[in-house]
Amino acid sequence: MELMKLTDVIRETRLSRATIYRLIAKGNFPKQIHLSERATAWLRNQGGSTLC
């Protein structure tokens, strides 16, 4: 299990920060995991660079 920070997600998906959060709100993008009060990350799929 590998965690990806927002900058990694932006680099790999080539989506903007605003687009990622808009897609999360619509249910079309995986939600992030809250690591702490101010830190979040996304899980990387075991098969490669796609998000779970």
Side-chain angles (χ1 to χ4, degrees):
M1 173 176 69
E2 183 179 347
L3 297 175
M4 298 173 64
K5 300 297 278 180
L6 180 59
T7 54
D8 299 325
V9 175
I10 291 170
R11 186 178 336 105
E12 292 207 13
T13 62
R14 298 189 183 216
L15 298 172
S16 71
R17 174 187 169 121
T19 299
I20 290 169
Y21 284 113
R22 188 171 34 252
L23 291 172
I24 290 170
K26 289 182 177 181
N28 295 329
F29 198 86
K31 289 188 176 186
Q32 65 273 43
I33 298 168
H34 294 273
L35 304 174
S36 69
E37 188 175 318
R38 295 178 45 112
T40 60
W42 283 261
L43 284 175
R44 182 188 298 267
N45 190 347
Q46 291 178 344
S49 64
T50 56
L51 297 168
C52 295

